[in-house]
Amino acid sequence: MKEQILSFLPREYPWKDCLFVFPELDSTNNRLKVLASQGAPHGTVLIADRQTGGRGRMGRSFLSPPGVGIYMSILLRPKCAPQELMHLTCAVAEVLCDGIEVASGLRPGIKWTNDLVSGGRKLCGILTELSLEAESGHVQYAVVGAGVNCDQTLSDFPPEIRDMAGSLS
């Protein structure tokens, strides 16, 4: 699957060696935070076909079954204070909207600030997590994860979220 993904990227894509694809992870954000603490470089990307513990803000779970979605996280190592990243999640939402529109023809809306929606249904969730250096308060790293529902039908979602969840299909 990594080769398929790389085939869509420019030949000069500088992070080819930092792209990792897994059949299953508990959470791409969780795994990437561990790798970040072990020195993984800026631009490291993890993609999973399935997450067993996908999550969103405030401890909410994010359903991540195999074969029907895109579940990924990227590691950023900006040299800045955390307040300089106030708009990071919003910027990622905008880029995801652009990518979804190019891939599917659908332009989702942004439900402030971390959900992409269409027809009142959530298509994508974004989770941004920061690690700060205690002494300086500067950002050590940011991990930005996104889960995009691509090919689910309404019956694939549990009854308790069926009225608010959606997918690109």
Side-chain angles (χ1 to χ4, degrees):
M1 183 187 291
K2 179 177 178 176
E3 292 74 26
Q4 288 176 306
I5 294 167
L6 288 172
S7 73
F8 289 98
L9 299 174
R11 291 171 61 131
E12 64 278 354
Y13 180 72
W15 295 287
K16 289 179 183 170
D17 295 332
C18 298
L19 173 66
F20 302 94
V21 180
F22 299 90
E24 177 179 299
L25 289 175
D26 68 327
S27 158
T28 56
N29 266 33
N30 286 350
R31 176 67 63 89
L32 196 49
K33 288 190 305 183
V34 169
L35 294 174
S37 70
Q38 296 171 347
H42 172 83
T44 299
V45 173
L46 302 187
I47 300 172
D49 183 46
R50 175 179 190 247
Q51 295 183 113
T52 58
R55 59 191 175 76
R57 291 179 54 229
M58 297 183 278
R60 294 186 180 118
S61 64
F62 188 87
L63 190 64
S64 313
V68 294
I70 299 169
Y71 317 112
M72 63 183 292
S73 298
I74 185 167
L75 172 64
L76 305 173
R77 292 195 179 272
K79 297 192 185 321
C80 65
Q83 57 268 28
E84 293 180 59
L85 297 177
M86 282 179 45
H87 303 291
L88 179 59
T89 302
C90 188
V92 169
E94 187 66 31
V95 168
L96 284 167
C97 284
D98 292 346
I100 289 170
E101 184 175 28
V102 167
S104 71
L106 171 72
R107 178 75 184 189
I110 300 171
K111 180 181 168 200
W112 189 257
T113 176
N114 69 313
D115 292 337
L116 303 187
V117 296
S118 181
R121 295 180 178 275
K122 180 177 176 175
L123 304 174
C124 172
I126 302 165
L127 178 62
T128 302
E129 299 180 281
L130 302 178
S131 176
L132 304 178
E133 185 178 271
E135 293 80 26
S136 70
H138 279 78
V139 176
Q140 288 182 316
Y141 63 82
V143 171
V144 183
V148 182
N149 297 331
C150 295
D151 203 24
Q152 294 92 330
T153 63
L154 285 182
S155 63
D156 291 330
F157 296 109
E160 62 271 14
I161 64 169
R162 204 169 282 160
D163 63 337
M164 62 184 112
S167 79
L168 295 176
S169 65

